[in-house]
């Protein structure tokens, strides 16, 4: 009888899931100036599944990730955006992927060599495609008309460079280490700071870990690593690609006015691509686009008031669709609470990697590479590499869970 009652009550996440689902179900009967929630009847089962998965992860895999997922699902519902269905569907998918990979780590890791080999081959094929594209040969995957960017198999050069940097750790194996040379050549051909940041971080951490393992002087190692990082960045900016940070800094400064307007919970999930685009380029947009984008803004009155109170627009060239800064864009969407959640995930897996660094070095380094490049200050790659990032995060979490057992 006791066991039956225990099964009915559930353990850990089940009663909490039911409580949260009941509360969120009541939300559909509350008045709202954002959306007619009663008209979204099919949304409730989807939210229920997402919440249950998120809270399941909260107890079974990683508390930080579970808490963040639960927050995002609830917040996406309470400030429902025009992209709400897509966002929640992706969240459910990634939650399921994360939980499955983390809990089945011991089965997946048996094919570790095969996974590493496939990623290495894909990286080398991208380098080959970059070399062909640099020489004007486009068999397929040709960039858009008027574009001269070398993109490999990806849609832009930022993506291919980050992918190559992420694959670097998989070449730190017998015989495969010779592949680091063409990968570095590919990073140079792509000519982006994002790839350089990822590659330098990977090589630096890899060198430090090996040095610590062999008992070398830590002060000397850290000093040497810092000198090499500065030399690599300086050489790249001098001889390969200097980059243009002034325009991005101007965009960041202007966009901070949106954060100051709604600092706690932001403008709503996926709202930055509307409010930031309008706020920066409103005076240079097609009127038809203005009406369509403004129609998707949740807090229309607040945005209109802020826009009129700050008539000075961004004066640079080009129209900024994305801010190329994940931290800032995420803060506009979800406020300081959402930014804290993002940092919580990064810190949580950083700790998991550090405590497990002696076992799965290659996977741990690839996770750090993905975190630092996908969320770097001058890039916007988190959406492009969501699948890989979630997959590798789940792997490092699975390794951590195994070591704890």
């Amino acid at each position: 009888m006791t066991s039956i009652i225990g099964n009915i009550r559930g353990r850990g996440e089940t009663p909490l899931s039911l409580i949260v689902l009941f509360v969120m179900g009541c939300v559909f009967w509350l008045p709202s100036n954002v959306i007619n929630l009663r008209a979204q009847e099919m949304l409730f089962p989807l939210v229920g599944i997402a919440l249950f998965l998120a809270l399941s992860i909260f107890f079974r895999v990683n508390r930080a990730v579970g808490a963040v997922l639960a927050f995002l699902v609830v917040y996406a519902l309470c400030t429902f955006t025009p992209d709400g269905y897509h966002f929640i569907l992706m969240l459910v998918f990634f939650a399921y992927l994360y939980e499955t990979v983390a809990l089945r780590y011991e089965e997946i890791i048996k094919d570790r060599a095969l996974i590493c080999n496939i990623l290495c081959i894909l990286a080398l094929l991208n380098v080959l495609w970059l070399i062909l594209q640099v020489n004007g040969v486009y068999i397929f995957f040709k960039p858009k008309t008027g574009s001269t960017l070398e993109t490999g198999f990806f849609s832009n050069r930022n993506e291919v460079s980050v992918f190559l940097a992420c694959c670097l750790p998989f070449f730190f194996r017998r015989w495969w280490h010779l592949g680091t040379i063409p990968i570095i050549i590919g990073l140079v051909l792509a000519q982006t700071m994002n790839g350089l940041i990822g590659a330098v971080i990977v090589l630096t951490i890899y060198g430090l870990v090996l040095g610590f393992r062999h008992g070398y002087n830590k002060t000397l190692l850290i000093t040497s690593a810092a000198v090499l990082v500065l030399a690599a960045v300086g050489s790249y900016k001098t001889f390969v690609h200097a980059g243009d940070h002034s325009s991005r800094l101007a965009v960041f400064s202007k966009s901070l006015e949106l954060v100051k307007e709604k600092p706690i919970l932001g403008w709503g999930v996926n709202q930055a691509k509307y409010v930031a685009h309008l706020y920066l380029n409103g005076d240079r947009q097609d009127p038809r686009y203005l009406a369509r984008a403004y129609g998707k803004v949740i807090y229309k009155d607040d945005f209109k008031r802020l826009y009129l109170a700050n008539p000075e627009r961004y004066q640079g060239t080009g129209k900024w669709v994305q801010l190329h800064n994940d931290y800032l864009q995420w803060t506009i969407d979800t406020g300081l609470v959402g930014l804290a959640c993002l940092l919580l995930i990064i810190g949580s897996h950083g700790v998991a990697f550090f405590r497990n660094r002696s076992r799965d070095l290659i996977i741990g380094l690839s996770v750090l590479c993905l975190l630092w490049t996908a969320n770097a200050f001058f890039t916007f790659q988190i959406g492009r590499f969501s699948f890989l990032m979630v997959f590798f995060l789940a792997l490092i979490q699975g390794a951590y869970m195994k070591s704890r057992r």
Side-chain angles (χ1 to χ4, degrees):
M1 179 64 70
T2 304
S3 61
I4 294 175
I5 294 175
N7 290 331
I8 294 174
R9 290 180 178 177
R11 294 183 179 181
E13 73 275 7
T14 303
L16 182 57
S17 297
L18 293 174
I19 292 172
V20 175
L21 286 174
F22 178 78
V23 173
M24 295 313 300
C26 294
V27 170
F28 283 87
W29 300 94
L30 299 177
S32 173
N33 294 324
V34 176
I35 191 171
N36 181 6
L37 292 174
R38 293 188 184 184
Q40 305 298 319
E41 295 177 359
M42 290 305 297
L43 179 63
F44 183 72
L46 185 62
V47 173
I49 296 171
L51 274 173
F52 189 85
L53 283 171
L55 292 171
S56 177
I57 292 173
F58 180 89
F59 283 96
R60 298 177 64 187
V61 180
N62 182 287
R63 293 179 181 276
V65 174
V68 172
L69 290 177
F71 162 74
L72 290 177
V73 171
V74 173
Y75 188 58
L77 175 64
C78 292
T79 58
F80 189 80
T81 72
D83 303 311
Y85 281 116
H86 176 263
F87 173 78
I88 296 177
L89 278 170
M90 291 300 295
L91 201 59
V92 172
F93 169 74
F94 284 132
Y96 180 75
L97 171 70
Y98 182 86
E99 183 179 41
T100 301
V101 172
L103 295 180
R104 297 189 178 182
Y105 167 80
E106 296 182 30
E107 300 174 26
I108 295 172
I109 206 63
K110 293 177 182 178
D111 297 320
R112 170 176 173 170
L114 177 61
I115 295 173
C116 292
N117 292 342
I118 291 174
L119 288 171
C120 288
I121 292 172
L122 287 174
L124 292 173
L125 286 175
N126 269 282
V127 174
L128 174 61
W129 243 246
L130 281 168
I131 293 174
L132 292 174
Q133 290 171 341
V134 167
N135 290 279
V137 179
Y138 298 97
I139 302 175
F140 49 87
F141 297 119
K142 186 176 181 179
K144 294 181 179 179
T145 304
S147 174
T148 59
L149 300 180
E150 290 70 40
T151 63
F153 293 154
F154 291 82
S155 60
N156 68 56
R157 61 181 184 175
N158 286 309
E159 293 172 5
V160 70
S161 64
V162 171
F163 177 74
L164 293 178
C166 292
C167 288
L168 259 179
F170 301 108
F171 286 90
F172 300 151
R173 298 176 292 149
R174 186 179 181 183
W175 302 117
W176 283 104
H177 68 274
L178 297 174
T180 57
I181 297 174
I183 295 301
I184 292 174
I185 293 174
L187 288 169
V188 173
L189 293 177
Q191 296 189 15
T192 69
M193 289 297 294
N194 302 330
L196 173 69
I197 292 171
V200 168
I201 288 174
V202 168
L203 294 173
T204 300
I205 295 177
Y206 184 70
L208 288 175
V209 171
L210 288 182
F212 293 160
R213 277 189 177 184
H214 289 87
Y216 295 136
N217 184 279
K218 294 183 178 181
T219 303
L220 179 61
L221 280 173
I222 294 174
T223 303
S224 300
V227 171
L228 289 174
V229 168
L230 292 175
V233 174
S235 301
Y236 189 90
K237 290 175 68 69
T238 302
F239 302 109
V240 180
H241 180 63
D244 177 23
H245 299 328
S246 59
S247 59
R248 293 193 177 188
L249 290 174
V251 167
F252 298 165
S253 177
K254 186 65 179 176
S255 300
L256 283 174
E257 295 174 5
L258 291 167
V259 177
K260 293 177 182 177
E261 176 67 19
K262 294 190 178 297
I264 307 302
L265 292 175
W267 291 82
V269 175
N270 283 342
Q271 281 286 290
K273 62 183 180 182
Y274 302 121
V275 295
H277 198 187
L278 290 170
Y279 197 65
L280 293 169
N281 316 300
D283 57 337
R284 294 181 290 175
Q285 293 288 0
D286 185 300
R288 291 172 298 180
Y289 171 82
L290 283 174
R292 186 166 62 251
Y294 184 67
K296 295 181 179 181
V297 174
I298 294 177
Y299 302 101
K300 292 181 174 60
D301 293 338
D302 293 341
F303 178 80
K304 183 178 180 180
R305 174 176 49 77
L306 182 66
Y307 186 88
L308 295 176
N310 297 275
E312 183 179 348
R313 303 293 119 211
Y314 167 66
Q315 301 300 320
T317 58
K319 297 177 182 179
W320 288 73
V321 180
Q322 305 288 0
L323 295 180
H324 294 272
N325 182 333
D326 271 344
Y327 295 118
L328 179 56
Q329 188 146 331
W330 190 245
T331 307
I332 292 175
D333 275 348
T334 59
L336 296 177
V337 174
L339 177 62
C341 289
L342 178 61
L343 297 177
L344 180 64
I345 289 181
I346 294 174
S348 170
H349 287 92
V351 170
F353 161 72
F354 181 78
R355 292 179 177 176
N356 198 45
R357 63 190 183 281
S358 62
R359 299 192 53 177
D360 289 282
L361 179 62
I362 292 177
I363 292 177
L365 288 175
S366 66
V367 171
L368 285 183
C369 176
L370 282 162
L371 285 172
W372 283 97
T373 52
N375 296 288
F377 197 71
F378 285 105
T379 186
F380 185 79
Q381 302 300 336
I382 191 170
R384 307 291 188 180
F385 286 93
S386 295
F387 182 89
L388 279 178
M389 188 171 70
V390 171
F391 183 81
F392 286 124
L393 285 175
L395 282 177
I396 194 61
Q397 189 63 42
Y400 180 55
M401 293 170 65
K402 179 182 177 181
S403 66
R404 291 182 65 186
R405 287 197 298 269

